[in-house]
């Protein structure tokens, strides 16, 4: 007897256009998920997860770390990219080769050739954590896409327009899903709804998100 590994539906990689410029690559990162988690462990043993403070003084509910030439930071002085981890004063950990290669191949699959990220922000969500609607505008070149990788517990992503007032659409993102945001989608407002408690075989009670950026 052949083992029934997958139940009703086998896992499937699909390419779903979301809006002009944004593409969901379902399960694109699934074959690499275990090694990505091992790399997250290595990076965050050097640059531990922390809850950064917004310029307004509130702690972000997602814990963050970074790797690559530049990391994104927020504190009372504002938002910016910088080469040193403010907690240690040392350079951020190098971006693992497997991170770079995954980001490059995902961008290429979505039609963006030659994506070379210099920054990777690692977000870790625990139950109750969320990220409100915002734009990513601390990067220098908005013609460069952003690639995001979801790992662990599922979450609902919110995707708005170019104005905060535009009503966002909701897109469920699951373990292994990769989204490429470029072109006219690059400056759209986005966020994630509150994480619900759960247990994932690889990540336990957490959702991790990697966002790859070209900051300079
Ligand atoms: C659309 N992170 O780190 S990833 C962020 O799930 C961030 O952790 C969310 O928004 C998360 O800034 C969402 C999806 C994402 C990331 C960047 C974008 C969507 C984007 C930039 C422009 C448009
Ligand atoms: Fe963002």
């Amino acid at each position: 007897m052949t083992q029934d590994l997958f139940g009703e539906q086998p896992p499937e990689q699909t390419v779903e256009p979301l809006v002009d410029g944004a593409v969901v690559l379902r399960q694109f990162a699934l074959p690499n998920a275990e090694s990505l988690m091992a790399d997250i462990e290595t990076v965050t043993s050097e640059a531990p997860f922390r809850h950064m403070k917004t310029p307004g003084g509130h702690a972000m509910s997602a814990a963050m770390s970074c790797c690559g030439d530049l990391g994104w930071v927020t504190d009372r002085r504002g938002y910016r990219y910088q080469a040193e981890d403010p907690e240690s004063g040392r350079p951020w950990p190098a971006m693992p080769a497997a991170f770079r290669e995954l980001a490059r191949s995902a961008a290429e699959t979505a039609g963006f050739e030659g994506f070379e990220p210099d920054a990777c922000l690692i977000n870790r969500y625990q139950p109750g954590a969320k990220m409100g609607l915002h734009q990513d505008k601390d990067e220098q070149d908005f013609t460069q896409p952003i690639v995001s990788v979801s790992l662990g517990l599922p979450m609902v992503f919110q995707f708005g327009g170019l104005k905060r007032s535009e009503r966002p659409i909701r897109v469920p993102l699951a373990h292994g899903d990769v989204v490429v945001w470029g072109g006219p989608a690059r400056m759209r407002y986005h966020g994630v709804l509150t994480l619900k408690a759960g247990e994932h075989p690889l990540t336990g009670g957490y959702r991790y998100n990697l966002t790859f950026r070209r900051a300079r």
Side-chain angles (χ1 to χ4, degrees):
M1 263 291 271
T2 310
Q3 283 267 8
D4 179 12
L5 288 173
F6 307 124
E8 288 299 292
Q9 271 121 12
E12 212 189 343
Q13 287 198 7
T14 59
V15 178
E16 276 175 35
L18 199 58
V19 295
D20 199 13
V23 179
V24 187
L25 309 174
R26 293 284 177 202
Q27 304 190 7
F28 190 86
L30 206 50
N32 309 98
E34 290 193 28
S35 74
L36 293 171
M37 282 308 302
D39 281 338
I40 291 173
E41 288 285 333
T42 304
V43 165
T44 57
S45 68
E46 291 176 51
F49 282 113
R50 78 291 304 262
H51 294 272
M52 294 187 204
K53 288 234 168 70
T54 64
H58 299 284
M60 298 198 59
S61 65
M64 295 179 170
S65 183
C66 300
C67 61
D69 292 342
L70 295 164
W72 184 84
V73 301
T74 173
D75 58 21
R76 293 310 295 242
R77 287 154 53 205
Y79 308 121
R80 64 193 172 276
Y81 283 93
Q82 66 176 47
E84 299 80 28
D85 177 350
E87 291 296 315
S88 67
R90 287 179 291 146
W92 293 105
M95 194 182 299
F99 279 26
R100 246 185 299 125
E101 178 52 24
L102 177 69
R104 194 207 54 74
S105 68
E108 186 176 282
T109 302
F112 298 92
E113 292 254 343
F115 180 52
E116 289 188 38
D118 56 9
C120 175
L121 176 60
I122 307 171
N123 295 142
R124 187 189 67 190
Y125 296 84
Q126 72 284 353
K130 61 180 165 49
M131 194 176 285
L133 279 182
H134 66 277
Q135 291 173 301
D136 287 20
K137 50 185 182 188
D138 301 317
E139 302 76 23
Q140 306 228 321
D141 180 359
F142 299 142
T143 69
Q144 293 286 322
I146 290 183
V147 173
S148 79
V149 178
S150 294
L151 294 168
L153 293 178
M155 204 176 206
V156 179
F157 178 76
Q158 286 197 295
F159 203 32
L162 297 175
K163 292 184 183 158
R164 190 186 291 279
S165 57
E166 199 171 315
R167 187 195 176 91
I169 58 167
R170 291 180 175 190
V171 185
L173 291 179
H175 180 62
D177 291 348
V178 175
V179 193
V180 182
W181 324 83
R186 175 65 180 77
M187 298 312 290
R188 283 180 179 250
Y189 278 87
H190 58 277
V192 292
L193 300 184
T194 307
L195 184 73
K196 291 197 179 115
E199 187 66 24
H200 187 278
L202 189 59
T203 69
Y206 295 107
R207 173 192 185 246
Y208 295 85
N209 183 267
L210 307 174
T211 55
F212 294 95
R213 300 112 187 281
R214 184 78 202 182
R216 284 196 187 136

mmCIF file with all atom_site columns, all heavy atoms in Angstrom, residues 6 14 39 48 52 84-85 109 132 167 170 174-175 179 190 196 205-206 215:
data_model
loop_
_atom_site.group_PDB
_atom_site.id
_atom_site.type_symbol
_atom_site.label_atom_id
_atom_site.label_alt_id
_atom_site.label_comp_id
_atom_site.label_asym_id
_atom_site.label_entity_id
_atom_site.label_seq_id
_atom_site.pdbx_PDB_ins_code
_atom_site.Cartn_x
_atom_site.Cartn_y
_atom_site.Cartn_z
_atom_site.occupancy
_atom_site.B_iso_or_equiv
_atom_site.pdbx_formal_charge
_atom_site.auth_seq_id
_atom_site.auth_comp_id
_atom_site.auth_asym_id
_atom_site.auth_atom_id
_atom_site.pdbx_PDB_model_num
ATOM 1   N N   . PHE A 1 6   ? -0.782  13.044 2.192   1.00 0.00 ? 6   PHE A N   1
ATOM 2   C CA  . PHE A 1 6   ? -1.299  14.402 2.074   1.00 0.00 ? 6   PHE A CA  1
ATOM 3   C C   . PHE A 1 6   ? -2.784  14.547 2.364   1.00 0.00 ? 6   PHE A C   1
ATOM 4   O O   . PHE A 1 6   ? -3.321  15.634 2.285   1.00 0.00 ? 6   PHE A O   1
ATOM 5   C CB  . PHE A 1 6   ? -1.018  14.940 0.668   1.00 0.00 ? 6   PHE A CB  1
ATOM 6   C CG  . PHE A 1 6   ? 0.433   14.835 0.282   1.00 0.00 ? 6   PHE A CG  1
ATOM 7   C CD1 . PHE A 1 6   ? 0.808   14.169 -0.868  1.00 0.00 ? 6   PHE A CD1 1
ATOM 8   C CD2 . PHE A 1 6   ? 1.419   15.389 1.089   1.00 0.00 ? 6   PHE A CD2 1
ATOM 9   C CE1 . PHE A 1 6   ? 2.145   14.077 -1.223  1.00 0.00 ? 6   PHE A CE1 1
ATOM 10  C CE2 . PHE A 1 6   ? 2.756   15.292 0.741   1.00 0.00 ? 6   PHE A CE2 1
ATOM 11  C CZ  . PHE A 1 6   ? 3.119   14.636 -0.416  1.00 0.00 ? 6   PHE A CZ  1
ATOM 12  N N   . THR A 1 14  ? 1.500   27.123 -6.602  1.00 0.00 ? 14  THR A N   1
ATOM 13  C CA  . THR A 1 14  ? 0.736   27.845 -7.616  1.00 0.00 ? 14  THR A CA  1
ATOM 14  C C   . THR A 1 14  ? 1.186   29.297 -7.628  1.00 0.00 ? 14  THR A C   1
ATOM 15  O O   . THR A 1 14  ? 1.776   29.772 -6.659  1.00 0.00 ? 14  THR A O   1
ATOM 16  C CB  . THR A 1 14  ? -0.781  27.809 -7.331  1.00 0.00 ? 14  THR A CB  1
ATOM 17  O OG1 . THR A 1 14  ? -1.012  28.406 -6.053  1.00 0.00 ? 14  THR A OG1 1
ATOM 18  C CG2 . THR A 1 14  ? -1.315  26.384 -7.337  1.00 0.00 ? 14  THR A CG2 1
ATOM 19  N N   . ASP A 1 39  ? 18.413  28.616 9.649   1.00 0.00 ? 39  ASP A N   1
ATOM 20  C CA  . ASP A 1 39  ? 19.133  29.874 9.422   1.00 0.00 ? 39  ASP A CA  1
ATOM 21  C C   . ASP A 1 39  ? 18.592  30.997 10.310  1.00 0.00 ? 39  ASP A C   1
ATOM 22  O O   . ASP A 1 39  ? 19.356  31.841 10.790  1.00 0.00 ? 39  ASP A O   1
ATOM 23  C CB  . ASP A 1 39  ? 19.051  30.287 7.944   1.00 0.00 ? 39  ASP A CB  1
ATOM 24  C CG  . ASP A 1 39  ? 20.032  29.508 7.056   1.00 0.00 ? 39  ASP A CG  1
ATOM 25  O OD1 . ASP A 1 39  ? 21.030  28.970 7.583   1.00 0.00 ? 39  ASP A OD1 1
ATOM 26  O OD2 . ASP A 1 39  ? 19.809  29.448 5.831   1.00 0.00 ? 39  ASP A OD2 1
ATOM 27  N N   . PRO A 1 48  ? 19.521  38.774 18.644  1.00 0.00 ? 48  PRO A N   1
ATOM 28  C CA  . PRO A 1 48  ? 18.281  38.220 19.209  1.00 0.00 ? 48  PRO A CA  1
ATOM 29  C C   . PRO A 1 48  ? 17.036  39.044 18.838  1.00 0.00 ? 48  PRO A C   1
ATOM 30  O O   . PRO A 1 48  ? 17.116  40.255 18.635  1.00 0.00 ? 48  PRO A O   1
ATOM 31  C CB  . PRO A 1 48  ? 18.527  38.274 20.723  1.00 0.00 ? 48  PRO A CB  1
ATOM 32  C CG  . PRO A 1 48  ? 20.011  38.313 20.882  1.00 0.00 ? 48  PRO A CG  1
ATOM 33  C CD  . PRO A 1 48  ? 20.521  39.071 19.695  1.00 0.00 ? 48  PRO A CD  1
ATOM 34  N N   . MET A 1 52  ? 11.064  46.355 19.097  1.00 0.00 ? 52  MET A N   1
ATOM 35  C CA  . MET A 1 52  ? 11.559  47.726 18.919  1.00 0.00 ? 52  MET A CA  1
ATOM 36  C C   . MET A 1 52  ? 10.469  48.719 19.257  1.00 0.00 ? 52  MET A C   1
ATOM 37  O O   . MET A 1 52  ? 9.281   48.414 19.189  1.00 0.00 ? 52  MET A O   1
ATOM 38  C CB  . MET A 1 52  ? 12.004  47.924 17.462  1.00 0.00 ? 52  MET A CB  1
ATOM 39  C CG  . MET A 1 52  ? 13.208  47.088 17.051  1.00 0.00 ? 52  MET A CG  1
ATOM 40  S SD  . MET A 1 52  ? 13.734  47.568 15.395  1.00 0.00 ? 52  MET A SD  1
ATOM 41  C CE  . MET A 1 52  ? 14.588  46.087 14.865  1.00 0.00 ? 52  MET A CE  1
ATOM 42  N N   . GLU A 1 84  ? 24.554  48.594 11.659  1.00 0.00 ? 84  GLU A N   1
ATOM 43  C CA  . GLU A 1 84  ? 24.821  47.974 12.955  1.00 0.00 ? 84  GLU A CA  1
ATOM 44  C C   . GLU A 1 84  ? 23.517  47.658 13.693  1.00 0.00 ? 84  GLU A C   1
ATOM 45  O O   . GLU A 1 84  ? 22.557  48.421 13.636  1.00 0.00 ? 84  GLU A O   1
ATOM 46  C CB  . GLU A 1 84  ? 25.642  48.898 13.860  1.00 0.00 ? 84  GLU A CB  1
ATOM 47  C CG  . GLU A 1 84  ? 27.000  49.268 13.328  1.00 0.00 ? 84  GLU A CG  1
ATOM 48  C CD  . GLU A 1 84  ? 26.930  50.372 12.288  1.00 0.00 ? 84  GLU A CD  1
ATOM 49  O OE1 . GLU A 1 84  ? 25.988  51.203 12.344  1.00 0.00 ? 84  GLU A OE1 1
ATOM 50  O OE2 . GLU A 1 84  ? 27.803  50.387 11.385  1.00 0.00 ? 84  GLU A OE2 1
ATOM 51  N N   . ASP A 1 85  ? 23.555  46.547 14.419  1.00 0.00 ? 85  ASP A N   1
ATOM 52  C CA  . ASP A 1 85  ? 22.483  46.220 15.354  1.00 0.00 ? 85  ASP A CA  1
ATOM 53  C C   . ASP A 1 85  ? 22.592  47.186 16.533  1.00 0.00 ? 85  ASP A C   1
ATOM 54  O O   . ASP A 1 85  ? 23.617  47.193 17.230  1.00 0.00 ? 85  ASP A O   1
ATOM 55  C CB  . ASP A 1 85  ? 22.671  44.769 15.817  1.00 0.00 ? 85  ASP A CB  1
ATOM 56  C CG  . ASP A 1 85  ? 21.641  44.347 16.859  1.00 0.00 ? 85  ASP A CG  1
ATOM 57  O OD1 . ASP A 1 85  ? 20.900  45.203 17.380  1.00 0.00 ? 85  ASP A OD1 1
ATOM 58  O OD2 . ASP A 1 85  ? 21.611  43.137 17.163  1.00 0.00 ? 85  ASP A OD2 1
ATOM 59  N N   . THR A 1 109 ? 10.619  34.588 -10.596 1.00 0.00 ? 109 THR A N   1
ATOM 60  C CA  . THR A 1 109 ? 9.366   33.906 -10.938 1.00 0.00 ? 109 THR A CA  1
ATOM 61  C C   . THR A 1 109 ? 8.233   34.916 -11.129 1.00 0.00 ? 109 THR A C   1
ATOM 62  O O   . THR A 1 109 ? 7.335   34.715 -11.942 1.00 0.00 ? 109 THR A O   1
ATOM 63  C CB  . THR A 1 109 ? 8.998   32.889 -9.840  1.00 0.00 ? 109 THR A CB  1
ATOM 64  O OG1 . THR A 1 109 ? 10.062  31.955 -9.706  1.00 0.00 ? 109 THR A OG1 1
ATOM 65  C CG2 . THR A 1 109 ? 7.710   32.152 -10.150 1.00 0.00 ? 109 THR A CG2 1
ATOM 66  N N   . GLY A 1 132 ? -0.180  46.981 12.021  1.00 0.00 ? 132 GLY A N   1
ATOM 67  C CA  . GLY A 1 132 ? -1.181  47.888 11.457  1.00 0.00 ? 132 GLY A CA  1
ATOM 68  C C   . GLY A 1 132 ? -0.831  48.307 10.037  1.00 0.00 ? 132 GLY A C   1
ATOM 69  O O   . GLY A 1 132 ? 0.304   48.105 9.568   1.00 0.00 ? 132 GLY A O   1
ATOM 70  N N   . ARG A 1 167 ? -10.148 50.822 1.357   1.00 0.00 ? 167 ARG A N   1
ATOM 71  C CA  . ARG A 1 167 ? -10.484 49.611 2.096   1.00 0.00 ? 167 ARG A CA  1
ATOM 72  C C   . ARG A 1 167 ? -9.597  48.443 1.663   1.00 0.00 ? 167 ARG A C   1
ATOM 73  O O   . ARG A 1 167 ? -9.545  48.087 0.495   1.00 0.00 ? 167 ARG A O   1
ATOM 74  C CB  . ARG A 1 167 ? -11.957 49.286 1.825   1.00 0.00 ? 167 ARG A CB  1
ATOM 75  C CG  . ARG A 1 167 ? -12.512 48.156 2.638   1.00 0.00 ? 167 ARG A CG  1
ATOM 76  C CD  . ARG A 1 167 ? -13.848 47.698 2.024   1.00 0.00 ? 167 ARG A CD  1
ATOM 77  N NE  . ARG A 1 167 ? -14.377 46.536 2.725   1.00 0.00 ? 167 ARG A NE  1
ATOM 78  C CZ  . ARG A 1 167 ? -15.206 46.624 3.756   1.00 0.00 ? 167 ARG A CZ  1
ATOM 79  N NH1 . ARG A 1 167 ? -15.593 47.809 4.188   1.00 0.00 ? 167 ARG A NH1 1
ATOM 80  N NH2 . ARG A 1 167 ? -15.637 45.533 4.345   1.00 0.00 ? 167 ARG A NH2 1
ATOM 81  N N   . ARG A 1 170 ? -8.355  41.195 2.062   1.00 0.00 ? 170 ARG A N   1
ATOM 82  C CA  . ARG A 1 170 ? -7.731  40.248 3.000   1.00 0.00 ? 170 ARG A CA  1
ATOM 83  C C   . ARG A 1 170 ? -7.250  39.019 2.253   1.00 0.00 ? 170 ARG A C   1
ATOM 84  O O   . ARG A 1 170 ? -7.988  38.450 1.460   1.00 0.00 ? 170 ARG A O   1
ATOM 85  C CB  . ARG A 1 170 ? -8.741  39.840 4.076   1.00 0.00 ? 170 ARG A CB  1
ATOM 86  C CG  . ARG A 1 170 ? -9.058  40.986 4.994   1.00 0.00 ? 170 ARG A CG  1
ATOM 87  C CD  . ARG A 1 170 ? -10.060 40.604 6.053   1.00 0.00 ? 170 ARG A CD  1
ATOM 88  N NE  . ARG A 1 170 ? -10.222 41.729 6.980   1.00 0.00 ? 170 ARG A NE  1
ATOM 89  C CZ  . ARG A 1 170 ? -10.881 41.663 8.117   1.00 0.00 ? 170 ARG A CZ  1
ATOM 90  N NH1 . ARG A 1 170 ? -11.450 40.527 8.482   1.00 0.00 ? 170 ARG A NH1 1
ATOM 91  N NH2 . ARG A 1 170 ? -10.968 42.718 8.892   1.00 0.00 ? 170 ARG A NH2 1
ATOM 92  N N   . ALA A 1 174 ? -0.147  31.299 4.369   1.00 0.00 ? 174 ALA A N   1
ATOM 93  C CA  . ALA A 1 174 ? 0.155   30.087 5.130   1.00 0.00 ? 174 ALA A CA  1
ATOM 94  C C   . ALA A 1 174 ? 1.650   29.750 5.026   1.00 0.00 ? 174 ALA A C   1
ATOM 95  O O   . ALA A 1 174 ? 2.394   30.376 4.267   1.00 0.00 ? 174 ALA A O   1
ATOM 96  C CB  . ALA A 1 174 ? -0.694  28.925 4.608   1.00 0.00 ? 174 ALA A CB  1
ATOM 97  N N   . HIS A 1 175 ? 2.025   28.764 5.786   1.00 0.00 ? 175 HIS A N   1
ATOM 98  C CA  . HIS A 1 175 ? 3.398   28.262 5.839   1.00 0.00 ? 175 HIS A CA  1
ATOM 99  C C   . HIS A 1 175 ? 3.951   27.999 4.430   1.00 0.00 ? 175 HIS A C   1
ATOM 100 O O   . HIS A 1 175 ? 3.357   27.227 3.668   1.00 0.00 ? 175 HIS A O   1
ATOM 101 C CB  . HIS A 1 175 ? 3.394   26.971 6.649   1.00 0.00 ? 175 HIS A CB  1
ATOM 102 C CG  . HIS A 1 175 ? 4.720   26.318 6.805   1.00 0.00 ? 175 HIS A CG  1
ATOM 103 N ND1 . HIS A 1 175 ? 5.774   26.927 7.446   1.00 0.00 ? 175 HIS A ND1 1
ATOM 104 C CD2 . HIS A 1 175 ? 5.169   25.103 6.386   1.00 0.00 ? 175 HIS A CD2 1
ATOM 105 C CE1 . HIS A 1 175 ? 6.812   26.105 7.443   1.00 0.00 ? 175 HIS A CE1 1
ATOM 106 N NE2 . HIS A 1 175 ? 6.473   24.998 6.800   1.00 0.00 ? 175 HIS A NE2 1
ATOM 107 N N   . VAL A 1 179 ? 5.329   36.067 -1.231  1.00 0.00 ? 179 VAL A N   1
ATOM 108 C CA  . VAL A 1 179 ? 4.669   37.115 -2.013  1.00 0.00 ? 179 VAL A CA  1
ATOM 109 C C   . VAL A 1 179 ? 5.723   38.086 -2.517  1.00 0.00 ? 179 VAL A C   1
ATOM 110 O O   . VAL A 1 179 ? 6.660   38.433 -1.791  1.00 0.00 ? 179 VAL A O   1
ATOM 111 C CB  . VAL A 1 179 ? 3.595   37.866 -1.192  1.00 0.00 ? 179 VAL A CB  1
ATOM 112 C CG1 . VAL A 1 179 ? 2.721   38.703 -2.116  1.00 0.00 ? 179 VAL A CG1 1
ATOM 113 C CG2 . VAL A 1 179 ? 2.735   36.898 -0.404  1.00 0.00 ? 179 VAL A CG2 1
ATOM 114 N N   . HIS A 1 190 ? -0.272  48.134 3.723   1.00 0.00 ? 190 HIS A N   1
ATOM 115 C CA  . HIS A 1 190 ? -0.434  46.717 4.032   1.00 0.00 ? 190 HIS A CA  1
ATOM 116 C C   . HIS A 1 190 ? -0.238  46.498 5.523   1.00 0.00 ? 190 HIS A C   1
ATOM 117 O O   . HIS A 1 190 ? 0.346   47.344 6.209   1.00 0.00 ? 190 HIS A O   1
ATOM 118 C CB  . HIS A 1 190 ? 0.566   45.883 3.223   1.00 0.00 ? 190 HIS A CB  1
ATOM 119 C CG  . HIS A 1 190 ? 1.993   46.279 3.476   1.00 0.00 ? 190 HIS A CG  1
ATOM 120 N ND1 . HIS A 1 190 ? 2.589   47.335 2.824   1.00 0.00 ? 190 HIS A ND1 1
ATOM 121 C CD2 . HIS A 1 190 ? 2.922   45.805 4.340   1.00 0.00 ? 190 HIS A CD2 1
ATOM 122 C CE1 . HIS A 1 190 ? 3.816   47.471 3.273   1.00 0.00 ? 190 HIS A CE1 1
ATOM 123 N NE2 . HIS A 1 190 ? 4.056   46.558 4.200   1.00 0.00 ? 190 HIS A NE2 1
ATOM 124 N N   . LYS A 1 196 ? -3.776  34.372 15.613  1.00 0.00 ? 196 LYS A N   1
ATOM 125 C CA  . LYS A 1 196 ? -4.505  33.483 16.519  1.00 0.00 ? 196 LYS A CA  1
ATOM 126 C C   . LYS A 1 196 ? -3.563  32.410 17.046  1.00 0.00 ? 196 LYS A C   1
ATOM 127 O O   . LYS A 1 196 ? -2.664  31.973 16.337  1.00 0.00 ? 196 LYS A O   1
ATOM 128 C CB  . LYS A 1 196 ? -5.652  32.810 15.760  1.00 0.00 ? 196 LYS A CB  1
ATOM 129 C CG  . LYS A 1 196 ? -6.762  33.785 15.362  1.00 0.00 ? 196 LYS A CG  1
ATOM 130 C CD  . LYS A 1 196 ? -8.029  33.011 14.997  1.00 0.00 ? 196 LYS A CD  1
ATOM 131 C CE  . LYS A 1 196 ? -9.147  33.975 14.626  1.00 0.00 ? 196 LYS A CE  1
ATOM 132 N NZ  . LYS A 1 196 ? -9.538  33.829 13.226  1.00 0.00 ? 196 LYS A NZ  1
ATOM 133 N N   . GLY A 1 205 ? 4.421   27.866 18.444  1.00 0.00 ? 205 GLY A N   1
ATOM 134 C CA  . GLY A 1 205 ? 3.340   28.840 18.595  1.00 0.00 ? 205 GLY A CA  1
ATOM 135 C C   . GLY A 1 205 ? 3.557   30.137 17.849  1.00 0.00 ? 205 GLY A C   1
ATOM 136 O O   . GLY A 1 205 ? 2.900   31.137 18.161  1.00 0.00 ? 205 GLY A O   1
ATOM 137 N N   . TYR A 1 206 ? 4.438   30.173 16.882  1.00 0.00 ? 206 TYR A N   1
ATOM 138 C CA  . TYR A 1 206 ? 4.805   31.419 16.210  1.00 0.00 ? 206 TYR A CA  1
ATOM 139 C C   . TYR A 1 206 ? 4.522   31.424 14.708  1.00 0.00 ? 206 TYR A C   1
ATOM 140 O O   . TYR A 1 206 ? 4.483   30.372 14.065  1.00 0.00 ? 206 TYR A O   1
ATOM 141 C CB  . TYR A 1 206 ? 6.302   31.697 16.371  1.00 0.00 ? 206 TYR A CB  1
ATOM 142 C CG  . TYR A 1 206 ? 6.749   31.955 17.784  1.00 0.00 ? 206 TYR A CG  1
ATOM 143 C CD1 . TYR A 1 206 ? 7.487   30.996 18.475  1.00 0.00 ? 206 TYR A CD1 1
ATOM 144 C CD2 . TYR A 1 206 ? 6.451   33.162 18.407  1.00 0.00 ? 206 TYR A CD2 1
ATOM 145 C CE1 . TYR A 1 206 ? 7.924   31.236 19.780  1.00 0.00 ? 206 TYR A CE1 1
ATOM 146 C CE2 . TYR A 1 206 ? 6.886   33.412 19.702  1.00 0.00 ? 206 TYR A CE2 1
ATOM 147 C CZ  . TYR A 1 206 ? 7.619   32.446 20.379  1.00 0.00 ? 206 TYR A CZ  1
ATOM 148 O OH  . TYR A 1 206 ? 8.054   32.683 21.658  1.00 0.00 ? 206 TYR A OH  1
ATOM 149 N N   . ALA A 1 215 ? 17.580  48.099 0.196   1.00 0.00 ? 215 ALA A N   1
ATOM 150 C CA  . ALA A 1 215 ? 17.426  49.339 0.957   1.00 0.00 ? 215 ALA A CA  1
ATOM 151 C C   . ALA A 1 215 ? 18.209  50.495 0.306   1.00 0.00 ? 215 ALA A C   1
ATOM 152 O O   . ALA A 1 215 ? 17.785  51.648 0.369   1.00 0.00 ? 215 ALA A O   1
ATOM 153 C CB  . ALA A 1 215 ? 17.890  49.146 2.392   1.00 0.00 ? 215 ALA A CB  1
#
